[in-house]
Amino acid sequence: KALRALTVPLETLQVLKGHMMQDMRKGLSRQMHAQATMQMLPTFICSMPDGTGKAQGSGLPPTAWVLGKACSLSPLAMPLQLFSFIAKCLRQFLAGFSSPQRRFPLGFVFPFSCKQTQLDKAELTSWSKGFKCTGVEGKDVVQLLQSAINKEELYVDVVALMNDTVGTMMTSSVEDKACEVAIIIDAGTNSCFMAEAQQVEMVEESSGRMCVNTEWGCFGDDTTLSGIMTTYDQRVDKESSNPGKKRFEKLVGSLYLGEIVRHVLVALAAEKAVFTGSNAVSGDQELTLETLGLRPSERDCCRVQQVCRVVVSRAAALCAAGLAAILTHMCQSRELEQLYVNIGVDGELYRDYTRFGEILESVTGLLAPECTITLLPSVDGTGRGAAIVTAVALRLADQRREVDQLLSPLRLSRSDLQRVQALMRQEMDLGLGKETNARSSVRMLPTYVRATPDGTERGEFLALDLGGTNFRVLVVRVAEDSIRMASEIYVIPTSIIQGTGVELFNHIVECIMDFQLKQDLMEQILPLGFTFSFPCQQLGLDKAVLLSWTKGFNASGCVGQDVVQLLRDAALRKQHFTLKVVAVVNDTVGTMMSCGYDDPKCEIGLIVGTGTNACYMEEMRNVGTVEGNEGRMCINMEWGAFGDNGCLDHIFTNFDQMVDEKTINPGKQRFEKLISGMYLGEIVRYILLAMVEKRVLFRGKPCPKLQTKDIFQTKFLSTIEIDGLALKKVLAILRDLDLHASFEDSVLVREVCQTVSLRAAQLCAAGMAAVVEKMRENRGLDQLIVTVGVDGTLYKMHPHFSQNLQQTLQVLAPKCSVTFLQSEDGSGKGAALVAAVACRKAGP
């Protein structure tokens, strides 16, 4: 009967595991943390040993051992005495070193509950294990120790503080066997594990992993363990120095198991089941049944063994439930079907009782079958773990300095962005002036688009949208209450893009004819709007001279020519006599017109995709390059070339320079090369190469694949930066590129991607701030309300680009209320609407 009460069925352990997982989630949550009995304390340890860290000193195991023995320090009453004692031990330890003025980094194992806010800052929450030193709770123990060390005039810096469980995890980690979980089964018990940092809501860290100290000894301090605690456990709890506290620890820790056995034997003796007629004695002899004054029979010895075995087995099974809860949580949070993990284990109960480890491993396997575990006994104690944590901390500090030094030129301050905004405004004003246009890097090209749709447009129109290697042909039917479209995408082979203009425009006309044939439009003469997304000098609504190719195009015989005429000539060559081009527009203008049909306030167009550009409705009185002062005209800014005259040299980094030099148009489209999707992946690639060279990435090992141009595509940035994307998926992306990244490498790569994409969004916002502020001033408004029609894969597909752009714009242009409206139908629809507006203006 006594043994049955101490036996926990597997079903009960499963329920216990579920309760522990629920409590873990509460402990990790910012809102629910106070309700959890498992405190889930962040340790600020975010990295494991990788074999490259080199500590200058030692974790000083003697200090750790002193704090591990309650009997050594329990007489101490004041904090100054405690930490002064530790400092004196430290002085004695360092006396044997030949260089007394050499500074030693110190890792401090402090196996008590602490509220840690940094790796080297922790306030003691409560003592345990018999410690009762007054005046320490609520104080920063690192600062107390450092002050005591300074008074001893020792050259020692406390770099890291950790729990003994964390020290065990780090001790058990070796390069080929990373340990991500640790448990201590000693006088007390505890566990820790590497959690996904985004789940540790008590700290701001959002990427990578962080070691969490569960403080699972407190689990069940509510009523959760009521169904498991026996009358023996209740008596032990009542007689302890902290009744009602540390209930899980009192079922598992070796400080209490002997007392549980004693209470069981007392109950059995009262029932005359053991030790009939024996009396207990006191004394300091070796503790055996005989020296306790008991006269056991052979049967008594067997029964005592049975009780001990059951009590310890129950402790192992309860630990297994807790361990299974941690492992299943890890498996679920990492979205794994199977988790393989090494577990560091320390403590006299585990070391001295072989069956404990066997039960722990087997029961954990039953409770968490999706996890394959290997138990790694801690051989050298937690002191070595402290040294390892210290070495890792120093490595990470060096790495952080290198990373910050590499990335700091890409991290723009508010004043940097305001300067870019002012330069953009200056270049805009120069570009609009008839006499100053040639000096501006922002061309400010008139488009001859004088109005946006007003809703009275009717009819059927063709549209051609050419802006990259894929282009669209469309038919757009504008009715009173709707717009209907049909379209097809065609591919332009690289050989044609890099070939002759005749081949290029012949191919385009062939695709138009194919589309008209499929749509049964070959016999109709429909007005065509031509979206041509390259820099042009527009001389009329249907006349545009190509100034330069961008986006990888380099067809000969086109620059300096009217692209509408090139299209018409190709139609004649192909004997296609029904082609009627009435308007040529930039894709930015097409986007503005497309969104303008849905929102009359849309007077700005923005493209952020393979390339970037913007347009807006400017007052005619400010357009010095075109006759007339009345009304407004859409201006194609061609802002991708902003900075080609050197005005943005202060923003260009070495990485930008390397990307620029390898393009087909070095020194051109410099603003575009800081922002658009065609170049961001290359910027990231050059930064990663620099990090490898500095030995802060991929352990400094050569990465031949990373030398390949364009191997790191911009779409990888968009994927890597998705919120909540498990870093194992980031690792998969990197490994697909033959980059043999570690978990920590993936965190660094994500940081690089975030830095590059944030700068792109901020620079785009600085340019847009110049535009909206100019429009506001032009119209003499205290507050401008305007909509931006926007298109482009980077804006649409990147998880944070649009948000970063809008937030920065709000800061830089606080007097402008700007709404961004995504173009769902592309700029081809806009080209058809330009043609529709032109036909409406021309009349019947």
Side-chain angles (χ1 to χ4, degrees):
K1 183 179 177 182
L3 297 184
R4 276 200 304 271
L6 290 162
T7 303
V8 186
L10 189 63
E11 295 79 6
T12 304
L13 293 174
Q14 285 282 15
V15 172
L16 182 65
K17 170 192 168 184
H19 286 313
M20 293 191 84
M21 289 184 68
Q22 185 177 7
D23 208 49
M24 287 170 63
R25 286 191 289 269
K26 286 182 182 178
L28 291 169
S29 165
R30 191 184 300 273
Q31 292 182 333
M32 305 287 287
H33 180 79
Q35 301 175 26
T37 57
M38 292 172 67
Q39 297 176 56
M40 307 300 287
L41 302 173
T43 67
F44 295 86
I45 292 172
C46 301
S47 180
M48 305 298 289
D50 69 354
T52 62
K54 294 181 180 179
Q56 295 174 322
S58 166
L60 304 182
T63 304
W65 278 111
V66 166
L67 291 181
K69 301 293 184 181
C71 57
S72 302
L73 295 176
S74 56
L76 296 173
M78 300 298 292
L80 294 179
Q81 290 177 293
L82 169 64
F83 292 99
S84 175
F85 176 73
I86 297 171
K88 291 182 187 306
C89 292
L90 200 54
R91 168 176 285 283
Q92 183 179 0
F93 177 80
L94 291 173
F97 286 80
S98 58
S99 302
Q101 293 191 1
R102 171 186 172 189
R103 297 205 73 84
F104 284 92
L106 178 120
F108 184 23
V109 175
F110 191 73
F112 307 98
S113 297
C114 288
K115 180 182 178 182
Q116 199 155 354
T117 53
Q118 296 176 19
L119 188 58
D120 61 351
K121 187 177 179 62
E123 294 179 0
L124 176 65
T125 304
S126 62
W127 288 113
S128 59
K129 307 173 188 176
F131 275 72
K132 283 291 183 181
C133 181
T134 60
V136 181
E137 292 182 7
K139 300 285 183 66
D140 180 3
V141 294
V142 174
Q143 186 56 50
L144 290 173
L145 178 58
Q146 188 67 63
S147 297
I149 288 171
N150 294 343
K151 285 183 180 179
E152 290 290 328
E153 298 183 348
L154 298 175
Y155 293 89
V156 173
D157 297 314
V158 185
V159 172
L161 176 137
M162 71 224 69
N163 190 279
D164 54 346
T165 321
V166 177
T168 295
M169 184 181 77
M170 299 300 277
T171 301
S172 302
S173 290
V174 291
E175 188 172 349
D176 59 339
K177 288 185 179 180
C179 178
E180 294 188 273
V181 183
I183 59 175
I184 296 281
I185 311 109
D186 212 326
T189 185
N190 197 11
S191 62
C192 67
F193 70 102
M194 295 300 290
E196 304 303 300
Q198 62 188 8
Q199 294 186 342
V200 188
E201 296 180 7
M202 300 302 291
V203 295
E204 296 302 321
E205 184 70 35
S206 61
S207 64
R209 290 175 183 155
M210 179 180 287
C211 181
V212 170
N213 168 22
T214 68
E215 288 296 334
W216 76 4
C218 296
F219 175 65
D221 285 1
D222 49 14
T223 60
T224 307
L225 290 175
S226 298
I228 294 177
M229 291 188 71
T230 65
T231 55
Y232 318 118
D233 304 314
Q234 291 167 3
R235 288 171 189 154
V236 170
D237 179 39
K238 187 176 180 180
E239 293 170 1
S240 68
S241 61
N242 56 349
K245 303 294 183 183
K246 297 268 186 180
R247 288 190 166 181
F248 187 70
E249 183 169 277
K250 288 169 184 174
L251 299 176
V252 173
S254 61
L255 187 63
Y256 305 98
L257 297 191
E259 277 295 281
I260 296 172
V261 170
R262 184 177 70 83
H263 278 290
V264 174
L265 295 179
V266 166
L268 291 176
E271 296 290 333
K272 300 189 183 301
V274 293
F275 309 136
T276 305
S278 296
N279 295 309
V281 297
S282 60
D284 294 327
Q285 310 107 305
E286 183 181 354
L287 296 180
T288 65
L289 293 178
E290 286 76 10
T291 59
L292 288 172
L294 304 174
R295 299 294 180 263
S297 65
E298 185 175 341
R299 187 183 66 172
D300 290 335
C301 291
C302 291
R303 288 181 176 179
V304 170
Q305 283 181 327
Q306 280 183 289
V307 172
C308 292
R309 186 181 301 115
V310 170
V311 169
V312 174
S313 297
R314 183 185 67 158
L318 292 174
C319 276
L323 184 55
I326 291 173
L327 295 172
T328 299
H329 174 87
M330 291 173 67
C331 195
Q332 291 176 354
S333 62
R334 299 181 187 186
E335 300 177 7
L336 299 173
E337 292 182 3
Q338 188 74 28
L339 175 70
Y340 298 88
V341 65
N342 294 320
I343 300 168
V345 193
D346 201 1
E348 61 183 6
L349 195 57
Y350 175 79
R351 290 192 301 268
D352 298 344
Y353 197 82
T354 304
R355 183 154 172 75
F356 191 100
E358 295 171 354
I359 296 171
L360 179 67
E361 189 167 6
S362 62
V363 176
T364 301
L366 293 173
L367 295 174
E370 72 280 12
C371 304
T372 301
I373 67 171
T374 302
L375 299 181
L376 300 177
S378 175
V379 178
D380 299 315
T382 54
R384 179 171 175 264
I388 292 172
V389 171
T390 306
V392 169
L394 294 173
R395 170 175 64 81
L396 291 180
D398 290 341
Q399 176 180 289
R400 176 43 51 190
R401 282 191 291 271
E402 292 285 3
V403 170
D404 287 343
Q405 186 175 358
L406 286 170
L407 296 182
S408 61
L410 292 98
R411 291 171 172 157
L412 304 179
S413 65
R414 182 172 177 174
S415 60
D416 291 331
L417 296 170
Q418 287 171 332
R419 183 179 175 188
V420 173
Q421 178 183 352
L423 286 169
M424 177 67 84
R425 175 63 184 271
Q426 176 182 303
E427 294 292 296
M428 290 171 69
D429 290 338
L430 289 173
L432 287 170
K434 185 175 182 179
E435 304 298 329
T436 57
N437 176 270
R439 301 207 309 268
S440 175
S441 60
V442 182
R443 301 300 300 272
M444 304 299 286
L445 304 173
T447 66
Y448 294 87
V449 173
R450 300 289 303 273
T452 53
D454 66 3
T456 64
E457 294 79 12
R458 301 286 183 273
E460 201 167 32
F461 306 90
L462 281 175
L464 172 64
D465 187 356
L466 176 64
T469 55
N470 295 336
F471 75 100
R472 281 207 308 166
V473 183
L474 309 89
V475 59
V476 181
R477 298 175 177 91
V478 184
E480 182 176 352
D481 56 355
S482 66
I483 291 182
R484 291 181 295 116
M485 297 191 307
S487 67
E488 187 160 344
I489 294 175
Y490 294 89
V491 177
I492 307 177
T494 304
S495 59
I496 292 179
I497 288 173
Q498 302 289 334
T500 67
V502 169
E503 293 171 329
L504 175 61
F505 282 92
N506 281 351
H507 178 74
I508 291 170
V509 171
E510 288 169 1
C511 294
I512 294 172
M513 293 171 66
D514 176 75
F515 177 77
Q516 286 186 275
L517 186 64
K518 291 176 180 176
Q519 295 292 326
D520 197 22
L521 298 171
M522 285 297 288
E523 303 304 320
Q524 296 187 47
I525 301 176
L526 300 179
L528 182 142
F530 184 12
T531 297
F532 187 73
S533 309
F534 302 93
C536 289
Q537 176 70 53
Q538 200 133 0
L539 304 177
L541 190 59
D542 65 344
K543 187 171 186 178
V545 175
L546 177 63
L547 299 174
S548 63
W549 285 117
T550 57
K551 307 172 192 175
F553 276 69
N554 199 26
S556 62
C558 298
V559 174
Q561 300 297 311
D562 175 10
V563 294
V564 175
Q565 193 56 50
L566 291 174
L567 185 62
R568 287 170 177 160
D569 291 345
L572 289 176
R573 286 194 297 270
K574 294 294 179 180
Q575 297 185 339
H576 185 48
F577 303 114
T578 59
L579 200 64
K580 180 186 176 184
V581 185
V582 299
V584 59
V585 298
N586 188 274
D587 56 345
T588 321
V589 180
T591 296
M592 182 189 75
M593 295 294 281
S594 177
C595 294
Y597 185 83
D598 299 315
D599 183 353
K601 291 188 181 68
C602 184
E603 296 184 87
I604 302 173
L606 172 66
I607 301 288
V608 194
T610 306
T612 185
N613 194 14
C615 69
Y616 72 103
M617 296 301 291
E618 177 61 86
E619 309 301 312
M620 278 295 296
R621 66 177 183 272
N622 294 332
V623 187
T625 52
V626 175
E627 297 296 327
N629 292 318
E630 298 299 319
R632 295 169 182 159
M633 179 181 286
C634 182
I635 297 297
N636 168 21
M637 295 177 65
E638 288 299 334
W639 79 359
F642 175 42
D644 286 4
N645 58 2
C647 67
L648 287 182
D649 285 357
H650 66 289
I651 294 294
F652 253 61
T653 67
N654 291 335
F655 309 117
D656 302 313
Q657 195 66 41
M658 288 187 283
V659 171
D660 182 39
E661 289 171 357
K662 297 297 183 181
T663 61
I664 62 173
N665 56 346
K668 304 294 183 184
Q669 297 294 113
R670 301 189 83 194
F671 192 58
E672 181 169 271
K673 289 170 183 173
L674 300 175
I675 290 177
S676 69
M678 189 168 187
Y679 306 99
L680 298 191
E682 272 295 274
I683 297 172
V684 169
R685 185 177 71 86
Y686 277 112
I687 296 172
L688 299 184
L689 282 171
M691 286 184 165
V692 172
E693 185 179 347
K694 295 283 187 179
R695 302 186 65 80
V696 297
L697 193 66
F698 309 139
R699 301 186 186 180
K701 294 178 181 177
C703 298
K705 199 69 176 282
L706 204 54
Q707 300 285 347
T708 307
K709 187 176 184 294
D710 296 323
I711 191 70
F712 201 96
Q713 299 172 37
T714 299
K715 68 179 182 181
F716 296 146
L717 276 75
S718 297
T719 304
I720 286 170
E721 292 185 57
I722 292 173
D723 286 333
L725 180 73
L727 283 170
K728 71 182 184 70
K729 295 182 180 177
V730 179
L731 280 172
I733 293 170
L734 298 177
R735 286 169 181 169
D736 283 346
L737 297 173
D738 288 341
L739 302 176
H740 300 292
S742 67
F743 180 85
E744 292 164 23
D745 290 332
S746 67
V747 175
L748 272 181
V749 171
R750 176 178 279 175
E751 182 180 354
V752 173
C753 293
Q754 290 169 336
T755 302
V756 171
S757 65
L758 174 61
R759 183 187 67 155
Q762 290 176 330
L763 289 173
C764 189
M768 189 53 59
V771 172
V772 296
E773 274 295 303
K774 187 176 194 314
M775 292 177 70
R776 185 184 67 81
E777 292 174 14
N778 284 347
R779 300 175 189 187
L781 300 173
D782 291 330
Q783 190 77 23
L784 174 70
I785 300 175
V786 69
T787 296
V788 178
V790 60
D791 202 357
T793 51
L794 184 60
Y795 183 92
K796 289 183 173 181
M797 303 303 294
H798 191 280
H800 302 297
F801 190 95
S802 60
Q803 182 182 3
N804 290 333
L805 165 59
Q806 292 171 42
Q807 288 177 346
T808 307
L809 178 58
Q810 190 174 14
V811 171
L812 297 177
K815 294 182 179 180
C816 300
S817 177
V818 185
T819 301
F820 286 79
L821 179 61
Q822 284 193 35
S823 172
E824 298 300 330
D825 303 310
S827 52
K829 172 186 169 184
L833 286 169
V834 171
V837 171
C839 292
R840 170 171 62 82
K841 289 282 189 180

